[in-house]
Amino acid sequence: MKSKIIFTSIIVLLVSTATFSQSKNAPQSIISRTAIIKKYYDKKELSELPKGALLELCVERIGVLAKTLPYIALATKPGVTLTDYGIPNNSEYRKAYESQDENTKSYLEITGDYQKKILPYSNKDDLIKAILFYENILKSLHEFEEM
């Protein structure tokens, strides 16, 4: 009886692992699925936020831009894959994509650390202007797609 339970548990574990694991050959999204802004703000809303929250918003928007801008000739929103554009899903292109993805992550980590050290010295009004500027760029990307 115990052996049947153990055997069934192992089978369930193997099936669930095979079902939920991602294939390395699966097409990757050109733009990271984390490259989204949950909420856009206006100047009044931003002026009511504490400086710490503004710093986080600024760094977040820079990250979204870094994950989006290099790819606007292909896509402006997450979810579009290389294969959607006829780019072969072979090892050469996957390596190029993975290398770019790693470089972007490294850039964002280094830039985020830098910004968290330097931006606290900025003026609150300038932070608000920067956030609004970044948001305008992101909004214009959505308009760009509609052209």
Side-chain angles (χ1 to χ4, degrees):
M1 182 68 172
K2 238 183 187 183
S3 63
K4 285 184 181 182
I5 292 173
I6 292 172
F7 179 73
T8 304
S9 298
I10 291 172
I11 295 295
V12 168
L13 179 66
L14 290 174
V15 169
S16 65
T17 302
T19 303
F20 292 111
S21 66
Q22 292 184 350
S23 170
K24 286 198 173 234
N25 295 332
Q28 298 288 327
S29 178
I30 295 169
I31 297 176
S32 170
R33 295 195 184 277
T34 61
I36 57 169
I37 299 291
K38 294 177 182 126
K39 180 180 185 332
Y40 289 95
Y41 293 86
D42 62 24
K43 189 172 184 174
K44 183 177 184 265
E45 289 175 310
L46 290 171
S47 63
E48 294 171 357
L49 293 175
K51 194 170 183 181
L54 294 174
L55 295 170
E56 289 177 28
L57 289 173
C58 195
V59 171
E60 177 189 43
R61 274 127 182 88
I62 290 169
V64 171
L65 286 169
K67 293 175 184 177
T68 306
L69 286 178
Y71 310 106
I72 63 172
L74 293 170
T76 58
K77 294 180 183 175
V80 178
T81 65
L82 296 173
T83 21
D84 291 338
Y85 285 97
I87 299 170
N89 188 22
N90 61 31
S91 64
E92 176 186 357
Y93 292 100
R94 278 193 307 274
K95 283 180 188 175
Y97 174 81
E98 289 167 3
S99 174
Q100 177 64 18
D101 190 47
E102 287 301 316
N103 289 334
T104 300
K105 287 177 184 175
S106 175
Y107 166 78
L108 289 174
E109 184 177 320
I110 292 166
T111 301
D113 289 344
Y114 172 79
Q115 302 247 333
K116 288 173 185 173
K117 289 177 185 169
I118 300 301
L119 284 181
Y121 294 98
S122 65
N123 181 305
K124 185 175 178 179
D125 289 335
D126 290 337
L127 272 175
I128 291 170
K129 289 176 192 175
I131 292 166
L132 292 171
F133 178 74
Y134 297 147
E135 287 185 359
N136 282 330
I137 293 171
L138 291 164
K139 288 176 187 175
S140 69
L141 285 174
H142 299 298
E143 293 171 9
F144 174 79
E145 188 171 288
E146 294 172 4
M147 289 181 177

